[in-house]
Amino acid sequence: MNAPTSTREPDTRALDDAAVARIRADFPILAREVNGHPLVYLDSGATSQKPQSVIDVERAYYDTVNAAVHRGAHTLAGEATELFENARATVARFVGAADDEIVWTSNATEGLNLLAYSMSNASLGRGGEDAARFRLGPGDEIVVTELEHHANLVPWQELAFRTGATLRVIGLDDEGRIRLDEGPDAAANVIGARTRLVAFTHVSNVLGAVNPVERLVDLAHAVGALVVLDACQSAPHLPLDLHALDVDFAVFSGHKMLAPTGIGVLYGRSELLNALPPFLTGGSMITTVGLTESEFLPAPMRFEAGTQRVSQAIALATACDYLDAIGMHRIEAWEAALGQRLYEGLAGIPGVRILGPAPDARTERVGLASFVVDGIHSHDVGQFLDDRGIAVRVGHHCAQPVHRRYGITATTRASAYLYTTTAEVDAAIEAVADSRSFFRVA
């Protein structure tokens, strides 16, 4: 199968609305109307739209190759396996990892649960002495931050329950920055001799700020703790080099970065993955199976039991190629500009409160803003915008603790991507301003 790829040559020029207009032509859904208006899609933080090349490559796989990987000796099986493993290599390059450090999952949530349950198995003695560093028990501590998505919080709550470990939380300051040094809930005071694991997000899906990965990694590694990075909101939007970041594990989901649903990635340093006992077990992840015990393949296959997500993995690789052809540095800069425009426009509306720190020399933000309009429920704001064809997210965004930290239950969230124009950001700002008159709170 000759997979469709982007024909765009790599470009170092900054993105502008003219360049974005050409990019938008690759996305069929962006041509549709909603409620009689051109679609303005500002919900990419939840899930991204897909370019035609990604849509085509998944269909082409089923049209011409479809077969089970790693199992058959016939031509189709060989071609499918080659495409599948080539996809792994492409995604590994995209995030600065080695091929055998990429584990396919259904999504980031599965990757985090895989880690948590594998550590539970290690805590029960599975994996022998090689897995000793993953064992947890009473007196050990797991550290998270107050701004985590539920997917990077609930699995660690459950791991603490199963092992008797204690879950501790790094707090946020009033502006929405992670406390690093000052206060009893600052990272420097929470991470200590008993810390075994520190899990945090690279970019908050509510606050939009890029978090201080280097400092948190240094604090964790200084006490011998493992680091788990939630890269769901960074892999699609920022150049990502997991080796350079020096994290031990990371997760991200394909559907947020132009790929289909049903595919995600768990990254782990090779020596750690090979020492970690598996969680999902069954076919395709074993070397020898007896009636009473089994032996497992090296990573990453030991974590990939059962029939795999072949077409989705190939499509994720195509999405990575598409993003690379545009240039992640260009995407990062464009979204930062959109994010500042969005932040400043919303901040200029009376009665609008934006969560998270303002973009400045201290804080890098992505193109995302969660906000409250005084006197209007977030669901009503979202419905008002939808009537104008503007798609945004409403609710707590699977991050109740950070909303609770700032005394609110729900926000409206607008999130941009490489296909978002300045006119679309301006339309959203205008609609939010108009909502105040419509609901008579102006």
Side-chain angles (χ1 to χ4, degrees):
M1 181 183 81
N2 293 319
T5 58
S6 172
T7 58
R8 186 178 293 104
E9 292 297 323
D11 196 339
T12 58
R13 293 173 297 179
L15 290 176
D16 55 20
D17 279 312
V20 171
R22 293 191 291 272
I23 291 171
R24 288 173 63 85
D26 294 338
F27 293 78
I29 198 170
L30 298 181
R32 71 164 291 181
E33 292 188 348
V34 172
N35 295 322
H37 298 274
L39 171 64
V40 174
Y41 188 75
L42 292 174
D43 195 21
S44 292
T47 198
S48 68
Q49 298 303 339
K50 321 305 176 192
Q52 192 66 54
S53 60
V54 170
I55 296 169
D56 287 346
V57 79
E58 190 166 19
R59 172 157 185 171
Y61 170 79
Y62 288 115
D63 282 345
T64 63
V65 177
N66 186 40
V69 299
H70 294 155
R71 296 181 183 181
H74 57 79
T75 297
L76 294 185
E79 291 176 352
T81 299
E82 183 177 7
L83 288 166
F84 184 65
E85 292 303 330
N86 285 346
R88 194 191 306 272
T90 296
V91 174
R93 286 193 300 273
F94 184 78
V95 296
D99 297 4
D100 63 354
E101 295 176 324
I102 297 298
V103 176
W104 300 122
T105 63
S106 294
N107 46 45
T109 300
E110 182 186 310
L112 291 163
N113 276 274
L114 186 161
L115 275 178
Y117 276 93
S118 293
M119 292 183 72
S120 289
N121 288 343
S123 300
L124 292 172
R126 296 295 285 172
E129 286 308 306
D130 288 344
R133 70 176 305 175
F134 304 114
R135 293 176 189 159
L136 294 170
D140 293 329
E141 295 178 350
I142 303 165
V143 173
V144 296
T145 78
E146 200 170 7
L147 54 70
E148 298 309 316
H149 188 284
H150 297 162
N152 200 31
L153 175 60
V154 179
W156 309 122
Q157 293 174 345
E158 291 295 297
L159 178 60
F161 174 78
R162 290 192 300 270
T163 61
T166 299
L167 187 71
R168 299 194 62 192
V169 180
I170 299 168
L172 304 172
D173 67 18
D174 290 342
E175 292 183 323
R177 295 182 176 89
I178 291 176
R179 292 189 188 276
L180 292 175
D181 297 299
E182 297 180 6
D185 62 350
N189 297 320
V190 173
I191 299 171
R194 294 184 175 182
T195 305
R196 297 292 176 264
L197 182 144
V198 179
F200 62 93
T201 185
H202 195 172
V203 177
S204 168
N205 74 315
V206 175
L207 306 184
V210 180
N211 291 315
V213 175
E214 182 178 358
R215 182 70 193 286
L216 292 170
V217 169
D218 286 346
L219 287 169
H221 284 171
V223 297
L226 297 166
V227 174
V228 179
L229 184 71
D230 173 0
C232 284
Q233 298 293 340
S234 58
H237 306 288
L238 310 174
L240 192 61
D241 187 333
L242 295 174
H243 283 175
L245 290 175
D246 199 26
V247 297
D248 300 299
F249 298 99
V251 296
F252 56 93
S253 289
H255 73 95
K256 295 182 188 294
M257 49 190 295
L258 311 185
T261 54
I263 186 68
V265 169
L266 165 66
Y267 158 82
R269 289 198 287 119
S270 179
E271 66 273 19
L272 293 177
L273 287 178
N274 280 303
L276 192 67
F279 162 46
L280 293 171
T281 55
S284 299
M285 49 77 68
I286 47 77
T287 56
T288 303
V289 175
L291 291 177
T292 58
E293 61 182 7
S294 300
E295 296 178 359
F296 307 123
L297 285 165
M301 270 67 85
R302 70 163 57 195
F303 301 106
E304 295 178 355
T307 302
Q308 284 301 299
R309 312 145 182 91
V310 184
S311 66
Q312 296 96 323
I314 295 167
L316 174 54
T318 301
C320 290
D321 283 340
Y322 184 94
L323 293 168
D324 263 341
I326 294 171
M328 292 304 298
H329 289 285
R330 300 172 76 214
I331 294 168
E332 176 186 28
W334 177 245
E335 291 186 34
L338 291 176
Q340 182 157 358
R341 190 184 190 98
L342 179 63
Y343 189 100
E344 292 175 351
L346 291 172
I349 302 172
V352 171
R353 174 190 177 193
I354 307 169
L355 269 66
D360 57 26
R362 288 193 301 156
T363 304
E364 180 185 359
R365 288 181 64 104
V366 297
L368 178 155
S370 300
F371 58 93
V372 176
V373 182
D374 289 345
I376 312 175
H377 194 281
S378 67
H379 287 77
D380 293 327
V381 176
Q383 186 61 62
F384 182 83
L385 268 62
D386 185 63
D387 286 343
R388 296 190 180 189
I390 303 170
V392 294
R393 180 75 177 266
V394 298
H396 54 65
H397 320 307
C398 297
Q400 290 183 358
V402 70
H403 281 81
R404 195 174 298 117
R405 165 66 175 84
Y406 297 107
I408 52 181
T409 58
T411 54
T412 304
R413 185 184 71 188
S415 50
Y417 204 6
L418 73 162
Y419 41 63
T420 304
T421 66
T422 55
E424 289 181 315
V425 169
D426 292 345
I429 294 167
E430 180 181 1
V432 172
D434 290 347
S435 71
R436 299 182 70 248
S437 299
F438 180 85
F439 288 100
R440 300 180 181 179
V441 298

